[in-house]
Amino acid sequence: MTGQQTLVARAALGVFAGAASMAACSNGTLRRMAAPRFDRLAILSFLVTRLGLFGLIFFVLHIPPRGDVPAYYWPQANSVLRGLVPYRDFVSSYAPLHPGLDAMAVRVWHSPLSIILLAVVVEMALLPLWLGFGRTLLSETEVRTAALLYLFSSVSLQFVAVDGQDTVMIGVLLGLAMFFLARRRETLSGASLGLAISAIKFLPLIYAPAFFVATARRWRWALGLAIPLVVVYGGALGMHLPISMPLRQEGGIKGAGNLPYVVESLLGVSLPSRLLDGILVLVLAGIFYRLWRVAEAASPEARLRALTFAIAALTLALLIFSKKSWSSYLTLALFPIGLLIDARRKVELLGFALLGVIAVIEHSYWATLLHQLSSQELHRGLLSGEAMFFVFLAIELMLLAGYGWLLGLAWRKMAAGTSFSALR
């Protein structure tokens, strides 16, 4: 497929999925259905849609995989199969276990598609997890709305079933960490997040302070977090591997789809990376502080509810303020983000559907039509008056507006966590 065909296909998927999500969330039968039957229907539909789309794209239409899978995951997995070690024998911007995890899939089926299928299979655990424990923290309406929004999410369909993005594995492990925390298994909860940091990338480390401040037996949770980190990263240090390689590789990279990129494009300046990183840290610290204040006087149940919305807030803050964030990062916390939407308000359902369309076309527009132009290049393009650059700026602004709207909802719902009993 050409770049323009890919863009049209993504837009069509976004529109179709968005319309389906609105119809499903407005369906009275689904709202009234008994919980066990609803769960079975949602999980079965998830399996059919994900495997069906995977089969359609790669076996019926014979479209080759694109993006990170052929560019990074596939060659690194094959390097591991040849006996090479990440950080020492080849460059990797992922966690130490990441290439080996992909190599396990490739060993079973020697094709890049095996890596995409691995992401699809892992994601299948997400709905059963949240449906299994979510009702102990959240209202039935909230859980069902989030499940339906996830089921018909173009973000999930595109970035996982088609692109094979591994960030969804972090989302599943975050859900597992919440699952164990809801059952007062703090050590296993911490270990789940530690595994995400060790097996995928450093990124989920941003959630650790939120879990720490919202957990009653926080030192037990911290012990669980430390176990996989010490084993994996300690083992890498014992092999004299440069474990800071991912930070060195990614630290100076800037991309589109975030506030720093838009500000630089409009002003025609290049802001220092340390300044941008500092702003992001301050925003994240503000969310941690708000969660801490809410959790101080809350019951254990209300703490977990507040933590759920804090995970959504942290993800959205990352998407807005990080100088390198992609819309695929929505899969880090797509279910908690879906919990922000009130299905009774059609405007919220429409807004979420439109955000899904923008999220799946933004990166494609930037990468295929604009060839990943920098903020300085976009600034010059805007000065030239060419329409394609103004279209892209409009896409960027709509994406950020959607993120900001959801962040505002998450910010308010964190404090509403203490009123859980009124929602049941």
Side-chain angles (χ1 to χ4, degrees):
M1 295 179 70
T2 66
Q4 289 185 340
Q5 289 173 329
T6 300
L7 186 62
V8 171
R10 285 175 177 246
L13 175 64
V15 171
F16 177 80
S21 70
M22 293 184 66
C25 289
S26 303
N27 187 288
T29 301
L30 291 175
R31 290 200 303 267
R32 294 188 299 269
M33 188 179 293
R37 186 182 175 195
F38 176 87
D39 292 358
R40 288 193 298 269
L41 179 61
I43 293 169
L44 178 61
S45 300
F46 189 88
L47 300 180
V48 171
T49 54
R50 271 48 179 189
L51 293 177
L53 182 60
F54 177 84
L56 174 66
I57 295 295
F58 300 114
F59 292 102
V60 177
L61 300 178
H62 300 286
I63 298 174
R66 301 167 57 129
D68 287 349
V69 169
Y72 302 106
Y73 303 173
W74 170 250
Q76 291 187 25
N78 280 287
S79 294
V80 171
L81 292 177
R82 293 196 302 270
L84 303 182
V85 177
Y87 302 169
R88 186 188 70 191
D89 301 321
F90 61 89
V91 174
S92 176
S93 59
Y94 304 104
L97 299 183
H98 183 279
L101 182 65
D102 288 339
M104 292 171 59
V106 173
R107 187 184 295 275
V108 174
W109 176 22
H110 195 73
S111 166
L113 298 182
S114 65
I115 300 175
I116 300 176
L117 185 58
L118 174 64
V120 172
V121 170
V122 171
E123 190 188 25
M124 288 178 183
L126 196 142
L127 278 189
L129 264 178
W130 278 97
L131 288 171
F133 78 91
R135 293 181 176 92
T136 64
L137 314 175
L138 305 148
S139 70
E140 183 69 23
T141 299
E142 287 175 310
V143 172
R144 292 198 185 196
T145 299
L148 292 172
L149 290 176
Y150 200 110
L151 174 60
F152 295 106
S153 169
S154 57
V155 170
S156 168
L157 289 163
Q158 178 64 54
F159 293 131
V160 183
V162 179
D163 293 343
Q165 287 287 329
D166 59 11
T167 46
V168 74
M169 298 184 185
I170 298 174
V172 172
L173 288 168
L174 274 173
L176 190 62
M178 289 293 296
F179 170 83
F180 284 127
L181 205 55
R183 281 155 175 74
R184 298 183 60 82
R185 305 295 295 274
E186 290 86 358
T187 304
L188 289 175
S189 173
S192 298
L193 186 62
L195 181 60
I197 300 167
S198 304
I200 312 300
K201 56 182 66 175
F202 280 121
L203 193 58
L205 193 61
I206 68 168
Y207 302 107
F211 275 88
F212 186 79
V213 301
T215 304
R217 296 188 291 184
R218 54 177 57 103
W219 293 110
R220 182 174 296 187
W221 184 90
L223 174 63
L225 175 73
I227 291 172
L229 298 182
V230 170
V231 171
V232 174
Y233 286 97
L237 285 173
M239 297 172 62
H240 304 288
L241 301 180
I243 61 173
S244 62
M245 177 182 288
L247 295 178
R248 295 201 308 270
Q249 289 291 118
E250 301 286 321
I253 296 178
K254 295 181 179 180
N258 51 70
L259 186 59
Y261 182 86
V262 170
V263 171
E264 289 185 348
S265 299
L266 292 175
L267 299 181
V269 300
S270 181
L271 299 173
S273 291
R274 289 189 177 181
L275 172 63
L276 298 176
D277 292 340
I279 293 172
L280 174 62
V281 169
L282 287 176
V283 173
L284 297 179
I287 296 172
F288 297 142
Y289 178 72
R290 183 170 178 82
L291 176 62
W292 173 67
R293 290 297 302 270
V294 169
E296 258 190 324
S299 66
E301 188 179 65
R303 282 186 176 203
L304 291 180
R305 179 178 167 83
L307 175 59
T308 300
F309 295 121
I311 289 172
L314 291 167
T315 305
L316 292 161
L318 177 73
L319 285 161
I320 295 171
F321 294 99
S322 173
K323 65 183 184 296
K324 177 186 173 292
S325 62
W326 317 116
S327 49
S328 61
Y329 285 2
L330 283 165
T331 59
L332 291 167
L334 190 55
F335 196 98
I337 290 172
L339 290 168
L340 303 173
I341 303 302
D342 186 345
R344 296 167 300 180
R345 299 179 178 177
K346 303 303 180 185
V347 66
E348 291 194 11
L349 290 175
L350 178 60
F352 195 80
L354 291 175
L355 177 60
V357 177
I358 297 298
V360 296
I361 68 171
E362 183 269 339
H363 185 78
S364 182
Y365 194 104
W366 178 66
T368 59
L369 298 188
L370 300 180
H371 308 291
Q372 300 188 16
L373 81 172
S374 67
S375 59
Q376 303 303 299
E377 291 168 329
L378 178 57
H379 179 74
R380 291 192 292 270
L382 293 172
L383 292 178
S384 73
E386 291 188 52
M388 64 186 303
F389 299 109
F390 284 94
V391 170
F392 183 60
L393 178 62
I395 290 173
E396 295 289 277
L397 292 174
M398 286 188 289
L399 185 68
L400 289 175
Y403 291 160
W405 163 58
L406 291 173
L407 179 57
L409 292 178
W411 183 265
R412 291 195 295 273
K413 287 209 171 192
M414 283 169 60
T418 54
S419 60
F420 171 77
S421 58
L423 298 169
R424 288 185 64 89

